[in-house]
Amino acid sequence: MRYIISLALVSITLSVQAQICSFKVDRDNANQSNIQLSSSLNQKLRYNPVNDVMINFNNAIPFDGVEDFLIADPGLNELEKMTVISVFQPATNASRTLELWSIQPVTADAERTVDMSINSINTNRGRQPYEGIESGKAAIHTYAQNYQKNSRGGAQERHLSLGMNQEDLNANFHGKVGELLIFDRVLGESELQKITSSLALKYGICLKEQNYISSDDQIIWDYEQNKTYNNRITGIGFDKLSGLAQKQSTSSDDPDFLTIGFNKIADSNKENLAKEADLQFMLWGDNNLSTAFPSRFIINKAPVMPRKWLAYFTGLKDEKVFTQLRLDATSILNENITSLTLAIDETGTGNFDLKNTRFVKPSSVVKGIITFDNIVWDKNQSGQEVFSFVNTNNPLVLKLEQPTELLNNEFVRQFEVQPNLSADGNYVIRIELKTEKKALVRVFDAAGKLISRTEFKNDRSYFLNNQFIEASGLYNVVLNIGDYQFNKKLIIQ
């Protein structure tokens, strides 16, 4: 038997498998005999049909820590064993003693059952502290217990409360609640791994020191094998038996920095229109290194940032499965780094040898948000790839094909850098446009450092004479006309 509380802002449903008891609260019927809502939570249910409170693109209920609470009677009187799994996110300024849920007797003089705050469990045996919950970060917590028989004899009437400390109203939960699952037995290790794996993927939560397991017992993330990349693990995928249909994800440890979705990333997981394919997964985690580019790179290797991600695939056998990747690069971009290119090491080793590295140019860069469309992963069916990012202005990236709209553009008639190669460091740049336009010309070295910058006002022809670079090497000459960018490689001998 499985007791489930599934929370969403539009409705709250509490049900017991096999329909032993069930009830539902929604905007049309927000008051029933077996459930009590605070007036503030009732208002949210009735008058907020669109939920903008989410954990990893999935709806969650916000609790304000003052007025919001729920009390229910889901038929827990005869429960002698239980496992409770909760998914929640304390507010960034939340106290570490706020109470999340409790199962307690109805009468004040009866024995206490159990309650959980965000840093401890309180039972008849006393309060037991635990660690690992951080304010502002989503978490999965599991509690299991064998009940002692009621010393007074007979069934003890219990109710469930969510978000409220019945002894201290100043300690009500402040944050978001995604799900609360109550089982009428102590779950085995295999069952628990499957359930927490599914919840972790749904809410973008990184599990610690355990494999991610699908409902058919496949290891979809191997903790030992992937130990270099066990940071900010999240993923997308489908598992009908566990009820998982996660079409887009970002890590709850660093929300919105890196988001990957099947098809096209939407405002919510529900609005993503990707086709579901059972037991298909893509998980990724990173090595926790810096996102700042070093000043020097290794010859014959892609000049990627130190931060690398391992992508781990299960069931992706159809090359027509496309993904979109979105990176919030506002903390990375500057005068020298104006855009990033996705680099995929198809060997899965993370060496990024140029011969084994596939580059994907961004589809757009808008206010620091870089988007890559129609990415096809795991073309060689190896089951894993490592990806990172390179400075688009790095000359090594110039071997990438220009998008068709840039080759057949409406602005540039001629863009030349001569001589190339230059034996003495001198060179000239000639630009002829089809219409009068503003232009920006920048020169970058092999590390992506800006060497020179020249702006031109409205004209059709531009000529930069007597240009000189002293140090030999490979350089990238970048021409920007509005939102369009053109690149030329310059070699100084």
Side-chain angles (χ1 to χ4, degrees), residues 121-181:
I121 285 284
N122 194 15
T123 68
N124 293 332
R125 298 179 179 179
R127 188 167 290 278
Q128 303 170 4
Y130 62 86
E131 298 179 348
I133 307 301
E134 298 182 51
S135 294
K137 294 187 178 182
I140 300 172
H141 182 273
T142 301
Y143 172 77
Q145 177 177 307
N146 286 317
Y147 279 95
Q148 294 181 343
K149 292 287 186 179
N150 181 9
S151 60
R152 292 182 172 85
Q156 188 172 337
E157 188 178 357
R158 306 183 183 101
H159 64 213
L160 168 71
S161 68
L162 190 64
M164 181 177 69
N165 187 314
Q166 298 185 59
E167 296 179 352
D168 181 5
L169 295 181
N170 293 320
N172 289 354
F173 176 72
H174 184 201
K176 308 173 187 177
V177 176
E179 295 191 28
L180 182 65
L181 307 180

Side-chain angles (χ1 to χ4, degrees), residues 409-469:
N409 72 89
E410 56 183 295
F411 301 117
V412 179
R413 191 184 306 278
Q414 182 183 32
F415 174 33
E416 293 182 352
V417 181
Q418 296 178 339
N420 205 352
L421 50 209
S422 172
D424 56 5
N426 290 289
Y427 65 97
V428 298
I429 300 174
R430 292 185 176 87
I431 302 167
E432 184 179 350
L433 306 181
K434 297 177 181 179
T435 59
E436 293 182 355
K437 291 285 183 182
K438 293 181 180 179
L440 170 64
V441 176
R442 293 168 296 165
V443 180
F444 298 87
D445 66 11
K449 180 181 178 182
L450 182 66
I451 301 300
S452 66
R453 172 189 174 97
T454 307
E455 291 189 46
F456 298 97
K457 297 187 176 178
N458 290 332
D459 209 338
R460 293 185 62 178
S461 297
Y462 303 108
F463 181 69
L464 279 75
N465 196 13
N466 299 323
Q467 302 298 299
F468 176 75
I469 296 177

Side-chain angles (χ1 to χ4, degrees), residues 229 285 287 304 307-313 342-352 356-358 377 382 384-389:
Y229 299 96
N287 61 3
V304 298
R307 175 79 60 88
K308 300 174 184 177
W309 290 260
L310 173 67
Y312 205 69
F313 309 100
L342 175 65
I344 302 174
D345 178 359
E346 295 183 321
T347 68
T349 62
N351 290 329
F352 285 94
N356 296 315
T357 301
R358 176 163 52 99
W377 300 91
S382 66
Q384 64 181 56
E385 291 178 322
V386 176
F387 68 92
S388 188
F389 300 91

Side-chain angles (χ1 to χ4, degrees), residues 279-292:
L279 301 176
Q280 182 183 84
F281 304 94
M282 173 185 176
L283 278 70
W284 60 92
D286 69 72
N287 61 3
N288 203 33
L289 295 183
S290 172
T291 58

Side-chain angles (χ1 to χ4, degrees), residues 311-345:
Y312 205 69
F313 309 100
T314 305
L316 291 186
K317 297 180 180 180
D318 185 355
E319 285 205 1
K320 293 183 179 180
V321 175
F322 296 103
T323 59
Q324 185 180 67
L325 186 152
R326 189 169 64 200
L327 180 73
D328 184 349
T330 51
S331 64
I332 302 172
L333 301 184
N334 53 46
E335 187 179 44
N336 296 329
I337 307 171
T338 57
S339 181
L340 298 176
T341 292
L342 175 65
I344 302 174
D345 178 359

